[in-house]
Each structure stands twice: as structure tokens, then as C-alpha cells.
Amino acid sequence: MEMTHDPAFAALLADGPMPSGWALDAAEWDDLARDCADANCFYAPELLIPAGRHLAGKDAISLIAARDDAGCLIGLIPIAMAGRHGRLPVANAVNWVHRHCFYGAPLLRRGHEQAAWSAILRQLDGMKGPAFLHLSGLDAAGRAAAALEATCVAEGRTLSEIQRHARALLRSDMSADAYWETNVRAKKRKELRRLHKRLAELGELKPRLLEDAGEIGQWTADFLALERAGWKGANGTALDCAADESAFLREALACAMAAGTLSFLRLDLDGRAIAMLINFAAMDGGFSFKIAFDESLARFSPGVLIEIENLRLVQQSETMAWMDSCAAPDHPMIDSLWAERRSIAQYRVELKGGWRRRAALAAADGGERLSAYLKRDRSE
């Protein structure tokens, strides 16, 4: 998927107030997002600015920027303040990972990763309040995590990995057909072919990829309606159940379409969407964001069928070498289709600045060790 900006991109980003304190040029920010150590669509301007406008609520989100000696932007991370760390009532800084953000690696310019981390940490050292930095949603094998470890070693900062889990990743040089044959069980392939055939007997079954920017409003409305009609709507967790969340989606999709980073796929039955999938491109890869399907047709597995179309789309792409599922650990559907895994980790990072911070960090470390001991003791 080629990422090219529509002239309307800057106008869309400017169409509303920038979150308080986010005085940063969107073009400069966008340049960093396209040249960073770990690709992260969620911290690119087309997604983070709409999130800051609509999802921050009462939280004050600081945008910490790092620059080199020449003034070039080399790092960027959104920071929020938390009053607790697990069960510990200790204020700490966190990378802002809102409900619809599934990856938390900061944007660090390639070749400047350690310098960017060092500048970010120095700014956090100077803040009053946070006892330490808690980072979530980083790739444990990524460049950002490696640079963080190197920076902490060089600066004598304590770095602790708190937790990690694996989630499905698609990364393969195989064709879609070869990948399908290699990684999906024969019995499952047969069953899905049968379901596709039965569904096609009900009408014209057609996959479509959004290409016309003029259709973005209708496609977004279709997605919101499709999601709300299902179990998320019944539970009140669909995006369209909250005005701020639906506003975020509309603005984010419009901005991503103009930025050339939106991949919006649908599966139509006689012209009506029965499954829709939203992905975002980032550098040489992508992130799978949201899926919705017609639950009245659940017996035909339309959600799985659109994922098969997405597999073909990614594997045929000349620019997208991988896709992060952004799925929960041990997800029964996507784990059965994608064979690769990505380790997602949380870290606690020491901030310099006196005995109170050292004591809070020691308390957090001690709490982690005690919790691990109790879990191990109960399992034995």
C-alpha cells in the first residue's frame, strides 16, 4: 500500500483545536512517523491528534518531543499521569495508551534512538510528581525496547520488565495461497471453503477495498452501524454508543485516508456490508484496528472470511511486509490463521531525582517480586 498525502491532509488535522500543549508542526511530526525505529500508526498525527481531541477526557496528555542539536525532531511520546501503579498508590508517568490504541512504542528517529530516549527521560526527570515511568505496549524484540535498555545501562537507570504476552503477527514471504495451505489446518480450510460457497448462494458476495475518498463518510457510517448492531452494541461498548468515540473514528479515518495510511476492507452481500475490517499502514507494515460483522450471518463466519481476504491483500502488497493483529493474547480466531507472534511488553523505568523516587521504585519492584512469589507458591 503506497502512502501518499492528499492535499486535504493538513486541512483535516487543522480542522479543530489542537489538544492543550501540543504545539508541534504536523508535517514535521508526520516525517518522524515515517522514519522511526518501530513503526507505530497510533502515535502518527492522523490518529493521535483525533485521539487527543476526543478521547483524553479530563486527563492532561503531554506530548514530549525530543530534538537533536540541530533542532530536528528525533523523538515523540504522549505522556499521561497515573495516580496508582497496580495496587501501589504512587503517582507515575505512563505512555498514553487509550482504549483504541494497541501499540505504545514512541516514535524514535532511526539512527537516533538512544539520543531520543535520553532526551525524553531527561524531560521526565524534570517533572514534578511522577515517581517513575511505566511503559506499556512495546515490542520486546523491537528497536525501541533495545534502545531503551542501552540508554538505561549508559545512564545508570533501573529498567524492569513487568509483563509480556504474545499476539498474532502476519509476516511471511509466502504467497497468500501458500501461507493458507501451510498454516491453516486442512479441516478448517475445507470448512471455510464450504461456508464461503453457502454464503455466496444467498446473493452476490464481493470483497471491496475503499479507494474513493468521497465514500469514506458512508463506509464509516456503515461500520459504526454494523458494530452497534452486534454484541458490542448490546453491551454498550460499540464506538457508536459514545459520541466522543464515534467522533474519534470519523476524524481518524478521514485523516488516515487523506494521509494514505488507511486500508478499509469490506465484504458485501448484494451490495450490503456483512463484514468490515479497518487497518492502518505504518512504514513497511500495518496494524489491524477494528472488525465488525453481521451477527445474523454468524453461521457463515463472515469475520473469518474477511480476514482471509485481508490475508490476500497483505501478501499481495508490494509495500506492506507485515501486519500486527493488535489482538488479545490467545485470540481463538486470528491465532488459528496467522502463525507468527509478536511479544508485547511492559516496562518500569527509573526517573532521576531524589530519595522519594528511589523509594517508590523500590516499593514497586518489591511488590512485583512479592506478587510473583505468591503466584508461584499457589501454583505449586
Side-chain angles (χ1 to χ4, degrees):
M1 177 180 180
E2 186 180 358
M3 293 185 286
T4 56
H5 283 179
D6 186 279
F9 176 58
L12 281 167
L13 291 177
D15 188 21
M18 186 73 81
S20 178
W22 289 23
L24 192 68
D25 179 72
E28 183 182 36
W29 182 351
D30 178 63
D31 178 69
L32 173 63
R34 293 167 184 264
D35 185 33
C36 58
D38 285 357
N40 186 357
C41 69
F42 299 102
Y43 287 173
E46 60 265 30
L47 295 193
L48 192 56
I49 291 175
R53 285 174 177 161
H54 301 290
L55 302 181
K58 296 180 180 179
D59 294 332
I61 311 300
S62 301
L63 205 59
I64 306 295
R67 296 183 181 276
D68 63 14
D69 293 339
C72 176
L73 185 66
I74 60 171
L76 189 72
I77 186 170
I79 292 290
M81 295 297 163
R84 302 185 66 85
H85 182 69
R87 296 182 180 180
L88 194 65
V90 173
N92 60 105
V94 301
N95 58 328
W96 187 45
V97 179
H98 57 79
R99 187 160 99 83
H100 305 296
C101 174
F102 306 114
Y103 192 58
L107 305 183
L108 309 176
R109 193 172 294 278
R110 285 183 290 189
H112 301 267
E113 295 90 346
Q114 284 186 240
W117 267 127
S118 185
I120 289 168
L121 292 172
R122 283 198 306 272
Q123 291 182 63
L124 292 172
D125 288 341
M127 286 186 175
K128 293 182 179 180
F132 47 79
L133 171 62
H134 176 212
L135 295 165
S136 61
L138 273 68
D139 184 347
R143 294 185 181 94
L148 176 63
E149 181 178 2
T151 302
C152 288
V153 169
E155 298 183 357
R157 297 178 187 267
T158 299
L159 173 67
S160 303
E161 182 181 307
I162 303 170
Q163 188 184 97
R164 75 163 67 187
H165 67 268
R167 72 183 181 203
L169 176 76
L170 175 59
R171 186 197 296 271
S172 174
D173 293 331
M174 294 182 186
S175 68
D177 289 342
Y179 191 91
W180 169 255
E181 294 287 335
T182 302
N183 295 299
V184 180
R185 293 179 294 108
K187 184 177 180 181
K188 186 177 183 68
R189 297 198 306 271
K190 181 179 179 181
E191 174 64 9
L192 289 171
R193 283 192 291 266
R194 185 187 71 82
L195 293 175
H196 187 280
K197 181 179 179 181
R198 294 291 178 265
L199 185 57
E201 291 172 354
L202 300 181
E204 182 186 13
L205 191 61
K206 182 179 179 181
R208 295 173 58 200
L209 181 67
L210 180 61
E211 296 176 325
D212 182 355
E215 295 185 293
I216 184 67
Q218 185 59 57
W219 280 53
T220 304
D222 290 346
F223 180 89
L224 288 168
L226 194 59
E227 187 188 54
R228 185 160 189 165
W231 66 268
K232 288 185 179 181
N235 289 349
T237 58
L239 285 155
D240 204 36
C241 292
D244 54 355
E245 296 196 347
S246 59
F248 159 71
L249 185 73
R250 289 188 180 94
E251 185 175 329
L253 294 186
C255 288
M257 185 71 184
T261 57
L262 176 64
S263 176
F264 203 168
L265 183 64
R266 63 191 282 165
L267 187 61
D268 284 0
L269 183 64
D270 285 339
R272 178 178 65 89
I274 62 169
M276 301 185 80
L277 180 63
I278 301 169
N279 301 321
F280 296 111
M283 293 173 52
D284 65 339
F287 293 82
S288 194
F289 179 60
K290 297 284 181 181
I291 187 171
F293 61 88
D294 185 342
E295 293 180 15
S296 70
L297 297 172
R299 64 190 183 278
F300 299 107
S301 297
V304 180
L305 296 181
I306 199 170
E307 286 289 0
I308 296 170
E309 295 297 335
N310 186 54
L311 171 65
R312 294 192 181 102
L313 185 69
V314 175
Q315 295 308 98
Q316 290 170 2
S317 171
E318 295 181 358
T319 58
M320 192 175 288
W322 53 269
M323 180 167 282
D324 186 336
S325 70
C326 296
D330 303 315
H331 193 282
M333 185 267 282
I334 202 65
D335 280 13
S336 69
L337 299 178
W338 294 3
E340 296 75 45
R341 297 293 180 264
R342 191 178 206 183
S343 292
I344 302 297
Q346 297 183 31
Y347 299 96
R348 187 167 47 246
V349 187
E350 177 185 358
L351 296 180
K352 303 288 187 177
W355 67 268
R356 286 186 175 85
R357 280 179 167 170
R358 291 194 296 272
L361 189 68
D365 287 341
E368 292 288 342
R369 288 193 295 271
L370 177 60
S371 178
Y373 173 79
L374 293 175
K375 287 180 181 178
R376 186 168 60 249
D377 185 58
R378 285 194 296 268
S379 65
E380 292 178 351

